[in-house]
């Protein structure tokens, strides 16, 4: 059973006034935790709703996390899928509470944090929790203003975490600096299978770093590097790595700055089952 819960936190009220809607049926805040503990699969959508202005502007997400802590949700033996989206002004206390929760929950499988503008500061505050969490399999965090510092946090997470299988970081600001720590971690991490680094301003240096990682990585099946700034130097480093990597099945390089010679070198280096996408000529 999948229950989709969309709830509105009004700026001028406390947690007791959280408005809940389950299939268009009103549900009091006190019932939220009962719902979360009684159903096997629960998806929580925390997002802006048309019925309220300045949603999430003052009311603290930390209060919700404290409620979860008091109800000992982390101990509930259920699978949990959590979505927090469209928060325009992320606050430190939300990161602190989410960090506490993630370090203690044993049931969280999927965490959706798209379009929240968390930024490097927020990622630094919750990064330790990502590494220590032992249940999370999918983390989606596109469009969150994650830069070089956030990349360092994610690199440390990938070195420590042994449960994450899918990581989506599309449309952030990692750049070459941001993939340095991630590249080093990918050399050792064999659990991660799907990695989306599209639209992250990654250039030749980043391409070289990721190429070195691919030579030693034994886990990735699908890698998206589309719409970055990788040129021939980075592309040739990746081509060299493909001679050693026998695991990767899909590599997307659309929207980069690769010459036809570099593309040809990649095609000649890869295993037969690897599909490389360069985009329309």
């Amino acid at each position: 059973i999948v229950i989709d819960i969309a709830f509105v936190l009004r700026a001028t009220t406390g947690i007791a006034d959280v408005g809940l809607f389950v299939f268009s049926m009103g549900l009091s805040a006190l019932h939220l935790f009962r719902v979360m503990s009684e159903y096997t699969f629960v998806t929580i959508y925390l997002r802006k709703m048309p019925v309220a202005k300045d949603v999430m502007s003052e009311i603290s997400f930390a209060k919700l996390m404290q409620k979860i802590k008091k109800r000992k949700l982390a101990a509930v033996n259920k699978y949990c899928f959590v979505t927090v989206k469209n928060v325009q002004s992320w606050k430190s206390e939300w990161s602190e509470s989410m960090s506490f929760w993630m370090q203690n929950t044993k049931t969280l499988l999927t965490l959706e944090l798209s379009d929240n503008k968390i930024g490097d500061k927020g990622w630094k505050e919750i990064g330790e929790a990502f590494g220590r969490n032992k249940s999370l399999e999918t983390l989606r965090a596109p469009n969150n203003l994650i830069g070089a510092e956030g990349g360092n946090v994610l690199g440390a997470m990938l070195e420590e975490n042994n449960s994450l299988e899918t990581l989506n970081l599309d449309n952030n600001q990692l750049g070459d600096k941001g993939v340095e720590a991630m590249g080093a971690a990918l050399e050792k991490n064999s659990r991660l299978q799907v990695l989306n680094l599209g639209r992250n301003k990654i250039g030749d240096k980043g391409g070289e770093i990721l190429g070195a990682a691919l030579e030693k990585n034994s886990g990735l099946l699908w890698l998206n590097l589309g719409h970055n700034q990788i040129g021939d130097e980075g592309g040739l480093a990746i081509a060299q790595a493909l001679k050693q990597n026998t695991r990767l099945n899909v590599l997307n390089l659309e929207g980069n700055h690769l010459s036809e010679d570099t593309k040809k070198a990649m095609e000649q280096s890869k295993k037969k089952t690897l599909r490389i996408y360069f985009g329309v000529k």
Side-chain angles (χ1 to χ4, degrees):
I1 298 175
V2 178
I3 302 294
D4 289 339
I5 305 176
F7 56 97
V8 179
L9 300 183
R10 298 179 183 276
T12 57
T13 60
I15 193 69
D17 261 336
V18 173
L20 296 169
F21 303 87
V22 181
F23 301 125
S24 300
M25 296 174 61
L27 185 68
S28 72
L30 295 177
H31 292 148
L32 169 62
F33 306 102
R34 186 179 304 170
V35 170
M36 293 179 76
S37 63
E38 288 180 355
Y39 290 91
T40 303
F41 299 101
V42 179
T43 302
I44 305 174
Y45 288 96
L46 179 58
R47 61 189 179 191
K48 285 191 174 183
M49 299 289 285
V51 296
K53 294 181 179 180
D54 299 324
V55 176
M56 294 293 295
S57 61
E58 295 180 14
I59 184 70
S60 176
F61 183 54
K63 289 186 178 180
L64 176 63
M65 287 298 176
Q66 289 299 317
K67 291 287 185 180
I68 291 175
K69 175 182 175 182
K70 291 178 181 178
R71 297 276 176 161
K72 298 182 179 179
L73 179 65
V76 177
N77 188 24
K78 306 291 182 183
Y79 297 116
C80 192
F81 298 77
V82 176
T83 299
V84 182
K85 296 187 72 173
N86 301 325
V87 178
Q88 300 302 304
S89 181
W90 192 267
K91 299 182 184 300
S92 293
E93 58 264 33
W94 303 344
S95 297
E96 293 167 4
S97 292
M98 181 172 284
S99 176
F100 172 86
W101 178 56
M102 286 190 62
Q103 289 185 61
N104 287 277
T105 183
K106 298 178 181 179
T107 61
L108 180 65
L109 295 182
T110 299
L111 180 59
E112 170 76 62
L113 293 174
S114 304
D115 310 315
N116 286 309
K117 295 181 172 59
I118 296 174
D120 282 344
K121 186 174 184 295
W123 280 102
K124 288 175 68 175
E125 291 168 344
I126 61 180
E128 185 177 356
F130 286 129
R132 292 185 178 181
N133 181 278
K134 303 303 180 184
S135 64
L136 187 65
E137 296 178 354
T138 300
L139 172 60
R140 302 188 187 100
N143 196 26
N144 267 292
L145 303 178
I146 303 171
E149 292 185 18
N152 291 335
V153 172
L154 290 162
M157 174 197 77
L158 290 174
E159 284 202 3
E160 187 175 356
N161 182 282
N162 60 5
S163 65
L164 195 67
E165 297 178 351
T166 299
L167 177 59
N168 184 348
L169 297 171
D170 182 66
N171 196 29
N172 280 289
Q173 302 171 3
L174 291 171
D176 293 343
K177 286 287 186 181
V179 299
E180 284 185 8
M182 295 184 67
L186 287 171
E187 292 183 10
K188 306 171 186 176
N189 185 299
S190 60
R191 182 69 172 181
L192 191 69
Q193 298 179 24
V194 176
L195 177 59
N196 188 346
L197 295 177
R199 297 185 293 173
N200 264 283
K201 302 179 181 179
I202 299 170
D204 279 331
K205 181 63 177 178
E208 292 173 356
I209 291 169
L210 292 171
L214 285 174
E215 283 192 16
K216 299 180 179 179
N217 180 270
S218 60
L220 282 178
L221 296 172
W222 188 95
L223 175 60
N224 179 25
L225 295 175
H227 301 282
N228 279 294
Q229 301 164 8
I230 300 173
D232 287 339
E233 290 184 15
L236 289 173
I238 294 173
Q240 183 65 32
L242 295 180
K243 294 179 180 180
Q244 306 296 325
N245 188 296
T246 59
R247 174 76 169 169
L248 198 65
N249 287 330
V250 176
L251 173 60
N252 181 26
L253 286 163
E254 292 180 293
N256 282 282
H257 309 310
L258 303 172
S259 67
E260 293 302 315
D261 287 343
T262 298
K263 293 177 183 178
K264 183 178 180 180
M266 287 185 176
E267 291 288 356
Q268 292 175 341
S269 300
K270 73 180 184 68
K271 64 176 185 178
K272 291 183 179 180
T273 55
L274 173 59
R275 290 174 293 172
I276 304 178
Y277 297 95
F278 297 113
V280 180
K281 292 183 180 181

